[in-house]
């Protein structure tokens, strides 16, 4: 059956607009190829000579012959950005965060995806258990990369147990195929105390080092545990001494990898350093920050960017900047110490401004959840209400639903502003963004 893709928007001045393609038209094929999803589409439209089959709303079919520069886009946007259905995860991982969420939240928060295509589009990590042979062949044929893989353990039996999927061990063989094809990869290990740590972590890192340099990096992150774990596998949180042992393991492998190929390769997320009470590594230890989305080096990068921006602002903007008298920054308990250091440096440069950093405890999910991205509007309101917040409140952008002014618990930014009676500025992710908000 021919797959059809509804067009919703045409970019002004594009090739498609010149040829009379319009919203509500249906794309049927490119160069005679049925388009399965967005990857097929971009692969086939990269060619210089195209025959594109379009069906108009009245049923008339147009066959458009196109000559263009290689990789020029046609300027077509589709109703479904993936051009296909999203693939649901079939694992029952013992550490799955979605299984640890309370009932009654919006439906989209309970959707578990394990779609390799989202690894390329959005940087998602996938287990490979949902990847068919056809998917693997397309990745290799289209030379797509990097693909981000949730490894967890290279011991096949242990991986089956952790993912609660009898095929999870076999799925590791797909890493071999990707390696032999030279497809760039990044790996992730969610570390669970007493499960895949210790000797099993040694084995996993050692096995993954065999894929260097095609596998470009591996992150080790501690499992996130909420207070909603009734009936789930009895996982325990890591303590300070646990974190120090994990870091000692990782640092040992980093030294070996540096000697072998000039990369640190395996990285600990920022949480390990804060939990262990150890200073974050210097910038060069992060190999260009390939795993920022996993919280690896985010705080170091923020420090470096902020210091650079502040150095420029002291000479360039100090004379004309008229910042408010007092500002407040609310964030998760994980990032609060770093932001407090940055605020102190800022106040030295701009002593007329008082900046207070308020760590917000995650009472919604539980105090063991320390990242700012999982804070809710209700926790922010309950812990900031009645406090002297000054002229403005700064909040990190990852608190809000992507593209919207809504918190995880569906409380809106406007509701928080009205309740706290303060103007809120949303800070984007960079140190320059933070400084701009402080100087606004």
């Amino acid at each position: 059956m021919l797959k059809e893709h509804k067009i919703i928007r045409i970019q002004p001045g594009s090739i498609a607009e010149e040829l009379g393609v319009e919203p509500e038209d249906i794309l049927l094929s490119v160069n005679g190829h049925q388009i399965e999803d967005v990857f097929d589409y971009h692969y086939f439209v990269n060619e210089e000579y195209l025959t594109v089959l379009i069906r108009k709303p009245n049923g008339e079919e147009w066959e458009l012959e196109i000559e263009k520069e290689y990789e020029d886009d046609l300027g077509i946007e589709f109703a479904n950005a993936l051009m296909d259905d999203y693939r649901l995860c079939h694992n029952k991982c013992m550490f799955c965060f979605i299984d640890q969420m309370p009932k009654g939240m919006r439906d989209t928060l309970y959707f578990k995806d394990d779609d390799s295509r989202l690894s390329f589009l959005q940087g998602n990590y996938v287990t490979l258990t949902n990847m068919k042979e056809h998917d693997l062949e397309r990745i290799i044929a289209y030379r797509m990369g990097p693909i981000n893989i949730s490894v967890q353990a290279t011991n096949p039996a242990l991986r089956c147990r952790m993912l609660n999927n009898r095929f999870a061990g076999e799925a590791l063989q797909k890493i071999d195929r990707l390696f032999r094809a030279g497809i760039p990869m990044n790996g992730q290990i969610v570390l669970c105390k007493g499960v895949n740590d210790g000797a099993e972590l040694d084995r996993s890192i050692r096995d993954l080092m065999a894929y260097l340099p095609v596998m470009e990096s591996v992150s080790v992150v501690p499992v996130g545990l909420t207070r909603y774990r009734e009936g789930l596998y009895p996982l325990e949180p890591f303590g300070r001494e646990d974190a120090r042992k994990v870091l000692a393991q990782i640092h040992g492998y980093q030294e070996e990898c540096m000697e072998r190929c000039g990369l640190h390769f395996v990285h600990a997320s920022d949480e390990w350093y804060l939990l262990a009470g150890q200073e974050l590594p210097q910038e060069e230890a992060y190999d260009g920050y390939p795993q920022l989305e996993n919280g690896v080096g985010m705080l170091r990068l923020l420090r470096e960017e902020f210091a650079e921006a502040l150095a420029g602002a002291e000479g360039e903007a100090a004379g004309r900047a008229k910042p408010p008298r007092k500002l407040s920054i609310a964030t998760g308990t994980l990032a609060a110490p770093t932001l407090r250091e940055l605020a102190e440096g800022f106040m030295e440069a701009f002593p007329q401004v008082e900046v207070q950093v308020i760590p917000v405890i995650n009472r919604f999910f539980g105090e063991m959840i320390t990242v700012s991205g999982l804070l809710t509007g209700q926790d922010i309101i309950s812990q900031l209400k009645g406090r002297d917040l000054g002229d403005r409140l700064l909040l990190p952008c990852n608190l809000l639903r992507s593209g919207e002014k809504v918190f995880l618990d569906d409380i809106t930014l406007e509701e928080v502003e009205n309740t706290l009676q303060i103007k809120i500025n949303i800070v984007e992710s960079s140190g320059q963004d933070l400084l701009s908000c402080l100087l606004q």
Side-chain angles (χ1 to χ4, degrees):
M1 181 179 176
L2 192 64
K3 210 167 184 184
E4 303 178 349
H5 302 283
K6 185 177 180 180
I7 297 169
I8 59 166
R9 191 174 295 108
I10 301 297
Q11 295 174 6
S14 65
I15 296 172
E17 184 181 58
E18 291 179 12
L19 294 172
V21 181
E22 300 173 311
E24 303 300 320
D25 289 352
I26 302 294
L27 173 69
L28 299 177
S29 67
V30 178
N31 281 350
H33 297 284
Q34 179 178 337
I35 303 302
E36 180 180 330
D37 56 25
V38 66
F39 294 130
D40 275 354
Y41 174 74
H42 283 298
Y43 181 75
F44 290 117
V45 300
N46 271 345
E47 299 300 324
E48 296 176 343
Y49 302 96
L50 300 177
T51 300
V52 177
L53 186 61
I54 296 287
R55 187 174 68 227
K56 307 298 280 186
N58 63 4
E60 184 179 344
E61 292 189 359
W62 288 12
E63 188 173 81
L64 306 174
E65 293 186 356
I66 301 169
E67 182 178 350
K68 63 177 186 62
E69 295 295 323
Y70 184 74
E71 289 189 346
D72 274 0
D73 189 50
L74 298 183
I76 296 174
E77 296 180 27
F78 298 93
N80 181 341
L82 188 62
M83 301 176 72
D84 194 18
D85 295 329
Y86 291 94
R87 294 177 184 171
L88 184 67
C89 179
H90 298 297
N91 304 312
K92 289 286 185 180
C93 299
M94 62 170 62
F95 51 84
C96 181
F97 192 85
I98 294 176
D99 290 339
Q100 302 179 70
M101 293 179 63
K103 296 179 180 178
M105 303 183 76
R106 59 180 180 270
D107 290 343
T108 53
L109 293 176
Y110 301 102
F111 181 78
K112 301 180 186 180
D113 76 78
D114 193 20
D115 197 320
S116 60
R117 295 166 298 183
L118 297 182
S119 182
F120 302 104
L121 291 173
Q122 300 174 9
N124 293 18
Y125 277 74
V126 294
T127 67
L128 305 179
T129 60
N130 216 15
M131 183 186 288
K132 301 180 177 69
E133 179 65 22
H134 170 65
D135 301 320
L136 192 60
E137 289 174 352
R138 280 205 310 162
I139 290 170
I140 293 171
Y142 295 176
R143 308 301 304 166
M144 294 159 60
I147 182 169
N148 300 324
I149 301 170
S150 288
V151 180
Q152 321 314 5
T154 57
N155 177 341
L158 176 58
R159 192 170 196 257
C160 288
R161 183 161 70 90
M162 291 188 71
L163 275 59
N164 198 19
N165 183 329
R166 63 193 178 96
F167 300 110
E170 296 177 17
L172 291 170
Q173 298 171 12
K174 293 168 185 170
I175 300 179
D176 294 319
R177 294 272 302 280
L178 294 167
F179 170 71
R180 291 195 298 271
I183 302 299
M185 297 176 278
N186 293 298
Q188 175 200 59
I189 296 173
V190 176
L191 209 62
C192 300
K193 187 175 179 179
V195 181
N196 62 336
D197 56 353
E200 289 293 349
L201 179 58
D202 281 327
R203 173 175 175 170
S204 294
I205 295 174
R206 182 68 62 187
D207 288 346
L208 294 174
M209 284 171 61
Y211 297 118
L212 274 163
V214 177
M215 182 165 282
E216 299 171 341
S217 68
V218 173
S219 63
V220 181
V221 302
V223 62
L225 302 176
T226 80
R227 62 190 180 94
Y228 302 100
R229 290 197 55 83
E230 186 177 351
L232 301 179
Y233 188 91
L235 293 172
E236 298 178 12
F238 287 96
R240 173 160 292 196
E241 289 305 315
D242 299 318
R244 289 176 176 174
K245 290 179 181 177
V246 170
L247 289 175
Q249 275 183 283
I250 290 173
H251 292 161
Y253 285 110
Q254 286 183 333
E255 292 177 9
E256 183 178 342
C257 290
M258 278 297 292
E259 292 179 4
R260 176 175 159 183
C261 62
L263 287 174
H264 292 83
F265 181 61
V266 57
H267 303 274
S269 65
D270 295 352
E271 295 164 86
W272 292 112
Y273 292 97
L274 299 180
L275 183 57
Q278 296 183 9
E279 181 61 33
L280 293 167
Q282 295 302 308
E283 187 169 31
E284 57 270 18
Y286 289 104
D287 296 341
Y289 302 105
Q291 297 244 8
L292 280 174
E293 293 302 317
N294 271 327
V296 176
M298 290 186 73
L299 296 180
R300 170 55 66 193
L301 181 60
L302 179 64
R303 284 182 179 179
E304 298 296 326
E305 290 177 338
F306 188 82
E308 182 179 353
L310 184 60
E314 287 182 77
E316 183 180 328
R320 66 173 185 270
K322 296 180 180 180
R325 177 186 59 82
K326 182 176 181 179
L327 303 172
S328 294
I329 302 173
T331 187
T333 55
L334 180 70
T338 297
L339 285 170
R340 194 171 284 119
E341 288 179 29
L342 302 185
E344 290 170 358
F346 175 82
M347 288 186 287
E348 287 181 13
F350 297 93
Q352 71 272 35
V353 186
E354 178 186 352
V355 182
Q356 67 171 337
V357 176
I358 305 172
V360 179
I361 298 169
N362 198 322
R363 298 205 168 98
F364 186 87
F365 285 112
E367 295 185 14
M368 286 187 289
I369 302 298
T370 60
V371 296
S372 59
L374 291 172
L375 289 176
T376 57
Q378 58 192 272
D379 273 338
I380 292 170
I381 289 172
S382 66
Q383 294 175 50
L384 270 58
K385 192 173 183 180
R387 298 185 63 156
D388 178 12
L389 301 175
D391 302 278
R392 281 185 291 119
L393 173 64
L394 275 55
L395 296 177
C397 63
N398 60 355
L399 270 70
L400 301 178
R401 194 191 312 180
S402 179
E404 301 180 48
K405 296 182 178 181
V406 180
F407 292 87
L408 198 60
D409 55 353
D410 288 335
I411 291 177
T412 66
L413 186 63
E414 184 180 8
E415 288 177 281
V416 176
E417 283 185 323
N418 291 339
T419 303
L420 298 179
Q421 289 295 292
I422 191 167
K423 172 64 178 175
I424 295 177
N425 288 148
I426 300 301
V427 183
E428 298 301 323
S429 56
S430 76
Q432 178 63 64
D433 293 325
L434 174 59
L435 182 64
S436 296
C437 283
L438 291 173
L439 287 174
Q440 186 175 327

